[in-house]
């Protein structure tokens, strides 16, 4: 089945109406993730945009059409570790064990349980939708928020010009856990994303699999909802977000970027970077170049 057939033919397991913001990358990722995983799935979602918008539902009815648990902010991987072990003891190894969490619940609050589950090789697919901040509570900075970004806890003023630190490179960190499968994805490259979800689900039958997916946020980043996919595409085209996979220790870039656009073409339309000077953008570019160099060394 091609990825187009997967999108067209598989049942949408998310309620038709939901309270996610217009242009939300997380909603699109959640819908595609469950279309690929199918009804034979248990999913855990911690507090955040997708727990509130896609799970709680209305009139005492669930927002998803599969069993879903709203975990704590810091224990998603630990909770799902218990669930997957119970199902394995029952011999129900065909059930897909999936977590979908924002970057705050993944890179910050939940990192300890995430790292532990990866190190133990727990049989699950953990998906992080990265919108670079705690968006559900008003866009506070997270450790995946990039340098220079304006957030409610890194405001632009006389003291600091947005977030002063570079972001934590979580996909690289997870790749160092010797997981079965680690990959990055973007909703602007749907074929690549769906193929990686399929690979991640298959790998989760043997051990731990992790996907880190770029998730544009019109509300926090202050761009129009109609350009979310264009923002996602430019993030890849500028090397701001690189698409790669690590399959059983073998690194591979899945979308080559032979003629990158300038970083300014990507960050320019985003008001969270609207205050950045050429020097600020150059500092961000330097970090992106270092990560790109690291990736090429791992591939080579």
């Amino acid at each position: 089945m091609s990825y187009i057939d997967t999108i067209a033919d598989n049942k949408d397991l998310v309620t038709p109406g939901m309270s996610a913001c217009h242009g939300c990358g997380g909603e699109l990722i959640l819908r595609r993730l469950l279309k690929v995983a199918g009804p034979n799935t248990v999913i855990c979602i911690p507090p955040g945009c997708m727990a509130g918008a896609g799970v709680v539902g209305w009139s005492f009815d669930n927002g998803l059409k599969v069993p879903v648990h709203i975990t704590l902010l810091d224990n998603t991987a630990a909770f799902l570790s218990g669930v997957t072990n119970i199902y394995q003891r029952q011999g129900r190894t065909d059930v897909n064990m999936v977590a979908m969490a924002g970057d705050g619940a993944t890179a910050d609050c939940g990192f300890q349980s995430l790292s532990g589950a990866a190190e133990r090789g727990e049989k699950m697919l953990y998906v992080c939708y990265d919108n670079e901040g705690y968006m559900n509570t008003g866009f506070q900075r997270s450790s995946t928020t990039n340098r220079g970004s304006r957030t409610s806890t890194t405001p632009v003023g006389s003291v600091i010009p947005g977030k002063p630190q570079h972001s934590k490179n979580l996909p690289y960190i997870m790749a160092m856990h010797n997981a079965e499968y680690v990959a990055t994805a973007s909703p602007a490259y749907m074929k690549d994303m769906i193929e990686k979800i399929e690979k991640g689900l298959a790998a989760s039958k043997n051990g731990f699999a992790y996907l880190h997916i770029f998730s544009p946020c019109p509300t926090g980043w202050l761009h129009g909802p109609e350009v979310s996919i264009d923002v996602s595409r430019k993030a890849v085209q500028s090397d701001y977000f690189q698409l790669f996979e690590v399959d059983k220790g073998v690194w591979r870039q899945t979308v080559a970027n032979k003629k990158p656009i300038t970083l300014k073409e990507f960050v320019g339309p985003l008001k969270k970077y609207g205050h950045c000077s050429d020097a600020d953008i150059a500092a961000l570019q330097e970090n992106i170049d270092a990560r790109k160099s690291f990736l090429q060394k791992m591939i080579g």
Side-chain angles (χ1 to χ4, degrees):
M1 178 181 290
S2 71
Y3 82 100
I4 295 176
D5 292 333
T6 298
I7 294 172
D9 298 341
N10 288 10
K11 186 177 180 181
D12 190 352
L13 299 175
V14 180
T15 183
M18 63 187 303
S19 57
C21 303
H22 291 178
C24 172
E27 177 189 351
L28 178 58
I29 293 165
L30 178 61
R31 288 186 185 277
R32 295 297 179 258
L33 172 63
L34 287 179
K35 270 205 169 191
V36 178
N40 198 27
T41 298
V42 172
I43 188 168
C44 291
I45 304 179
C49 299
M50 287 303 99
V55 180
V56 175
W58 300 268
S59 301
F60 306 102
D61 193 14
N62 184 8
L64 301 183
K65 300 172 185 177
V66 296
V68 57
H69 302 269
I70 299 180
T71 62
L72 299 178
L73 195 62
D74 58 356
N75 76 341
T76 305
F79 186 98
L80 192 57
S81 294
V83 175
T84 187
N85 276 280
I86 289 173
Y87 272 72
Q88 289 173 55
R89 289 187 181 186
Q90 295 175 347
R92 301 178 64 186
T93 57
D94 61 321
V95 180
N96 292 316
M97 296 292 163
V98 178
M100 181 168 166
D103 48 282
T106 302
D108 298 337
C109 302
F111 182 72
Q112 182 181 33
S113 64
L114 172 66
S115 179
E119 184 271 330
R120 294 191 304 271
E122 301 287 3
K123 295 179 179 179
M124 66 175 74
L125 171 60
Y126 190 108
V127 177
C128 172
Y129 64 101
D130 185 5
N131 50 30
E132 301 186 3
Y134 292 81
M135 301 299 180
N136 192 52
T137 49
F139 193 12
Q140 295 82 31
R141 59 91 82 193
S142 79
S143 60
T144 70
T145 306
N146 262 303
R147 177 173 173 164
S149 178
R150 178 199 303 266
T151 76
S152 63
T153 49
T154 57
V156 176
S158 59
V159 178
I160 57 172
K163 188 187 175 190
Q165 303 90 4
H166 287 299
S167 64
K168 178 189 292 185
N169 196 330
L170 195 57
Y172 286 7
I173 294 171
M174 296 312 298
M176 299 304 168
H177 281 71
N178 297 316
E180 284 288 318
Y181 185 74
V182 174
T184 60
S186 165
Y189 296 82
M190 189 58 65
K191 180 177 184 292
D192 181 73
M193 187 174 86
I194 286 184
E195 288 175 349
K196 287 172 175 173
I197 294 172
E198 292 172 339
K199 289 181 179 180
L201 288 168
S204 71
K205 303 305 179 185
N206 301 313
F208 188 87
Y210 176 82
L211 294 182
H212 196 98
I213 305 181
F214 186 82
S215 181
C217 178
T219 304
W221 299 1
L222 301 176
H223 64 75
E226 73 281 0
V227 299
S228 289
I229 295 301
D230 186 56
V231 168
S232 300
R233 184 177 296 107
K234 286 181 177 177
V236 175
Q237 291 175 337
S238 63
D239 288 326
Y240 179 94
F241 191 87
Q242 298 171 57
L243 298 181
F244 67 92
E245 65 180 5
V246 186
D247 193 351
K248 294 183 175 64
V250 178
W251 293 65
R252 185 174 74 90
Q253 190 166 12
T254 58
V255 176
N257 203 12
K258 297 179 180 179
K259 293 183 178 180
I261 64 173
T262 66
L263 183 59
K264 201 164 188 176
E265 288 180 75
F266 166 63
V267 301
L270 305 178
K271 291 184 180 179
K272 71 170 184 170
Y273 289 120
H275 60 281
C276 287
S277 65
D278 288 344
D280 295 328
I281 295 175
L284 185 56
Q285 182 70 63
E286 185 178 353
N287 187 56
I288 290 170
D289 290 343
R291 293 184 178 187
K292 184 177 180 180
S293 177
F294 177 85
L295 177 60
Q296 294 306 316
K297 288 177 182 178
M298 297 305 294
I299 292 171

